[in-house]
Amino acid sequence: MGKIFSYYLNAFKNSFDFKTGAERSELNWFMAFGFVLWCIASVVIMGICLISVILSPPSASMQVFDIFMSLGFLYMLIHFIPLFSLIKRRFNKVFPDRSVLLFSGFSILWIFQILLTLWMYITIRLIPIENLNAIFIIPLGVLNNFCSILVVLSIIFLMVKK
């Protein structure tokens, strides 16, 4: 367990190192530890949200949604730069000649996906539910999911590529 945690902390220590390479095990253990941490945090947050919805009036559901989204966004912000750096270092190791081009494409896709998520959240928060237009929201959701799938497949590729 100590070695896994050291990979996790090492990613934070090298958050602003975009020039060196990263071994496959660094990315794999960072992702594994981060996933376990995310699962534990999600269960705790969902439990708190569920209890608050049960004990609160029906109007509390949007407040719980806001809390859940805010905590998820905070988790993402904390892990974004270490993971971003780790992915860049992994691109450096796997594709030394094309790492800048491939990482640039990956970065644009990932940032676009994050901006789509924020746009959908703001839209859902600002427009009353009865006025939401599914023709507007559904394509955004599909595009967001498509970007997410491409990002995840890219990370999985970096996790398995020697």
Side-chain angles (χ1 to χ4, degrees):
M1 185 68 173
K3 188 165 181 126
I4 296 170
F5 192 65
S6 70
Y7 280 124
Y8 186 74
L9 291 179
N10 194 35
F12 281 96
K13 186 175 77 176
N14 295 325
S15 290
F16 297 100
D17 175 14
F18 292 93
K19 296 193 185 299
T20 61
E23 295 298 322
R24 187 170 54 158
S25 58
E26 287 182 67
L27 179 60
N28 291 352
W29 287 118
F30 179 81
M31 294 298 290
F33 192 81
F35 181 74
V36 168
L37 189 64
W38 176 76
C39 287
I40 292 169
S42 293
V43 167
V44 169
I45 292 167
M46 281 191 258
I48 293 169
C49 291
L50 182 62
I51 291 169
S52 67
V53 167
I54 290 170
L55 298 177
S56 300
S59 63
S61 63
M62 209 55 178
Q63 294 167 345
V64 169
F65 176 73
D66 286 341
I67 291 168
F68 190 71
M69 289 297 290
S70 299
L71 291 173
F73 189 69
L74 179 66
Y75 177 86
M76 186 190 79
L77 281 177
I78 290 169
H79 288 86
F80 181 78
I81 292 179
L83 181 59
F84 201 64
S85 169
L86 192 54
I87 289 170
K88 171 61 168 111
R89 292 187 297 120
R90 188 71 186 129
F91 269 116
N92 291 344
K93 179 82 171 180
V94 175
F95 303 104
D97 299 333
R98 297 176 288 168
S99 69
V100 172
L101 178 67
L102 293 172
F103 183 69
S104 298
F106 174 83
S107 301
I108 289 168
L109 183 67
W110 200 9
I111 291 169
F112 182 69
Q113 185 251 335
I114 291 168
L115 292 175
L116 271 175
T117 302
L118 289 173
W119 186 16
M120 288 177 58
Y121 173 71
I122 291 168
T123 301
I124 289 170
R125 281 301 292 141
L126 294 180
I127 299 174
I129 298 293
E130 56 273 358
N131 295 339
L132 276 177
N133 187 350
I135 294 173
F136 175 73
I137 293 293
I138 291 174
L140 284 178
V142 169
L143 184 59
N144 189 3
N145 286 331
F146 180 71
C147 290
S148 297
I149 289 168
L150 290 177
V151 166
V152 168
L153 288 176
S154 300
I155 293 172
I156 290 172
F157 175 78
L158 290 172
M159 290 172 74
V160 298
K161 181 76 173 160
K162 289 195 177 200

